[in-house]
Amino acid sequence: MAARNSEHRYGWVAIALHWLMAPAIIGMFALGWWMRQLSYYDPWYRQGPELHKGIGILLLALLLLRLAWKAINPRPGDMPGQARWQVVTARFAHGALYLLLLAIMVSGYLISTADGRPINVFGWFEVPATLQGFDNQEDLAGEVHEVLAWSLMGLVALHALAALKHHFVDRDATLRRMLGLRGNPPSRPPRKEVGSPATGSPASNQ
Amino acid sequence: MKKVAIFLFAALMGATAQAAEYKIDTKGAHAFIQFRIKHLGYSWLYGRFDDFSGSFQYDESKPAESSINVEIDVASIDSNHAERDKHLRGEDFLHVEKYPTATFKSTSYEPMGNGKGKLSGELTLRGVTKPVVIDVEHVGGGKDPWGGYRQGFTGTTEFALKDFGIMYDLGPASQTVEMILDVEGIRI
Ligand code: HEM
Ligand code: HEM
């Protein structure tokens, strides 16, 4: 498989980034939610947040890498035969996912660095505080972080449902190409003929 | 932690009479509402409330008539650690969104001589009002170099976190918090 995206397919770099980050992000939500209810004497009371912040910073680095990679790669075309509103909604949703992720990570960073303390990433390196000192920064950033984290989970659920709908209902190659799988969509023939099946690969309708 | 605070004052015995109302000098930050609580039983953790206001009545010849009112912006808690402060402001501790202010209103003052005394009053914190007694000592008073007249006191008190609805378990050594209160008032 090629590293780079083509007009029709995701390359392995984009695929690897997507599937490395997706479970980590969902795990971060669970960890963030769970760690807040720990009692003071729980062994995870300190480790939970350390892990959350460390993974969070690494995810931020991956996200920046992912956006840079996206910028210098073609975008695989939309599935043929999709309604215009679906295509627009999907692109809007993908943009919102990136934005939410970025905002969540930045707000998390602003909680922890509100008093000038750096964030230590598993003892490997430290990310210094930069913006700090506006009034009750940690509370404000915390509220933003929490609200956006819930919003992200809502959007991710829709996103995953949409992917499954493409796969099982539309029977197109949307999910397969994000999984790096070649070949035809699931065996049952599509309900309606679209694109040019003779070529064997979905044509872009752009 | 947390806790809140308050004030004090009162009086002293003797000395010369100046029956008057004093405004607590928060503008010049000559007043401090601090607390300390044991961490794990191994050390003391200190913090303070940065925003509060209040005034007191004090007459050196009639210290028993001293009184004080203080209002504290609870969200101004600062224990020198943003993540901890965030936790302290949350529901586990001060729940500042629901209970943004704490107050202390004195009800009586009992001079014990030597500038010392016991100041009784009602502390309202986290929506709970309970009587507390503050051990007070007059530190000094008189003219300041800028044309004003000041009196200052220091005091301490202690109460259990759970008396004010703070149920979060910090461990057996950390059930109570001490308040360390210092105020300087300018006569108005
Ligand atoms: C994928 C990214 C992230 C997700 C999904 C996420 C999710 C969450 C969630 C759900 C909470 C609990 C919120 C609450 O109940 O108040 C939380 C708390 C927190 N997060 Fe994140 N987070 C992410 C990234 C980060 C990053 C990058 C940092 C900092 C470097 C960070 C720092 C924090 C901190 C300090 C808290 C604790 C807030 C508190 O104790 O009040 N998070 N996060
Ligand atoms: C935290 C979880 C997830 C996040 C943040 C996320 C984010 C994203 C983003 C930003 C894109 C757009 C990629 C681009 O720029 O071209 C994308 C594409 C995609 N995602 Fe996810 N995703 C998540 C979970 C999932 C899950 C669970 C599934 C499947 C059930 C899934 C299936 C897909 C598919 C099929 C595409 C390709 C869409 C297309 O080709 O237009 N994602 N994802």
Side-chain angles (χ1 to χ4, degrees):
Chain A
M1 194 192 305
R4 293 175 52 81
N5 298 350
S6 72
E7 301 291 319
H8 299 303
R9 309 182 54 82
Y10 283 103
W12 66 260
V13 174
I15 292 174
L17 284 168
H18 181 272
W19 294 111
L20 183 66
M21 291 178 72
I25 289 162
I26 292 166
M28 282 289 281
F29 179 83
L31 174 58
W33 182 80
W34 174 73
M35 74 188 189
R36 290 214 50 202
Q37 3 249 317
L38 297 176
S39 76
Y40 197 63
Y41 283 75
D42 194 295
W44 284 95
Y45 181 85
R46 290 169 62 86
Q47 280 174 31
E50 288 308 304
L51 196 63
H52 187 85
K53 291 185 275 179
I55 296 175
I57 293 296
L58 298 179
L59 280 172
L60 175 57
L62 284 178
L63 180 66
L64 296 177
L65 192 73
R66 185 166 166 184
L67 290 170
W69 184 252
K70 182 175 165 63
I72 58 169
N73 270 266
R75 193 177 69 85
D78 307 307
M79 289 299 140
Q82 272 195 96
R84 189 74 211 146
W85 70 265
Q86 277 191 1
V87 173
V88 173
T89 308
R91 297 203 56 180
F92 182 80
H94 292 165
L97 286 170
Y98 286 128
L99 268 181
L100 278 172
L101 283 170
L102 198 62
I104 288 168
M105 291 170 185
V106 170
S107 60
Y109 165 82
L110 290 176
I111 302 173
S112 298
T113 56
D115 54 14
R117 279 182 172 72
I119 294 177
N120 188 311
V121 181
F122 305 125
W124 299 337
F125 62 94
E126 283 194 342
V127 182
T130 45
L131 274 182
Q132 69 186 80
F134 51 92
D135 242 18
N136 290 350
Q137 174 173 332
E138 59 273 25
D139 302 300
L140 218 76
E143 218 136 289
V144 168
H145 194 70
E146 184 176 4
V147 169
L148 295 188
W150 281 94
S151 313
L152 176 72
M153 288 302 114
L155 190 53
V156 162
L158 291 177
H159 172 73
L161 282 175
L164 295 175
K165 181 213 176 239
H166 274 285
H167 191 72
F168 291 110
V169 179
D170 302 337
R171 299 185 167 267
D172 65 26
T174 304
L175 180 57
R176 298 174 65 83
R177 73 176 182 182
M178 188 37 106
L179 288 164
L181 300 174
R182 278 206 179 263
N184 297 321
S187 51
R188 194 150 64 79
R191 286 165 303 162
K192 51 185 171 173
E193 291 297 310
V194 291
S196 47
T199 67
S201 75
S204 167
N205 69 346
Q206 286 195 291
Chain B
M1 317 222 108
K2 15 307 294 32
K3 300 1 243 77
V4 165
I6 348 206
F7 11 48
L8 6 132
F9 294 58
L12 199 278
M13 297 279 89
T16 62
Q18 296 287 348
E21 177 163 12
Y22 292 80
K23 184 164 167 20
I24 296 175
D25 186 18
T26 44
K27 212 162 145 227
H30 296 114
F32 300 87
I33 296 178
Q34 303 179 90
F35 60 84
R36 66 176 196 165
I37 185 165
K38 282 219 177 100
H39 182 232
L40 304 172
Y42 302 159
S43 68
W44 286 104
L45 180 150
Y46 287 78
R48 62 180 197 207
F49 291 88
D50 287 336
D51 298 333
F52 55 94
S53 60
S55 60
F56 58 84
Q57 304 279 345
Y58 175 66
D59 179 341
E60 283 167 82
S61 61
K62 292 186 245 149
E65 289 171 19
S66 303
S67 69
I68 182 166
N69 282 317
V70 176
E71 196 167 281
I72 299 157
D73 173 4
V74 187
S76 70
I77 190 167
D78 184 355
S79 71
N80 199 23
H81 187 341
E83 289 176 352
R84 177 167 58 214
D85 293 343
K86 177 173 187 301
H87 195 192
L88 295 178
R89 290 184 200 110
E91 286 180 39
D92 282 341
F93 292 98
L94 296 168
H95 202 347
V96 302
E97 218 163 289
K98 184 139 180 239
Y99 308 108
T101 36
T103 57
F104 178 79
K105 292 186 201 316
S106 68
T107 49
S108 67
Y109 180 71
E110 183 191 342
M112 320 281 283
N114 239 356
K116 301 203 166 123
K118 294 208 175 292
L119 178 69
S120 303
E122 306 261 296
L123 172 62
T124 302
L125 173 64
R126 213 185 188 277
V128 178
T129 301
K130 287 240 158 86
V132 298
V133 177
I134 301 172
D135 294 316
V136 176
E137 186 175 346
H138 183 231
V139 178
K143 289 201 196 117
D144 66 29
W146 316 285
Y149 193 90
R150 298 173 184 245
Q151 295 287 353
F153 302 86
T154 186
T156 57
T157 188
E158 183 174 353
F159 53 82
L161 296 181
K162 66 171 167 10
D163 286 353
F164 290 89
I166 298 169
M167 299 304 173
Y168 194 84
D169 187 15
L170 290 168
S174 314
Q175 301 289 314
T176 63
V177 58
E178 286 181 23
M179 301 300 310
I180 305 151
L181 312 157
D182 286 275
V183 293
E184 181 176 293
I186 305 174
R187 197 165 67 194
I188 48 181

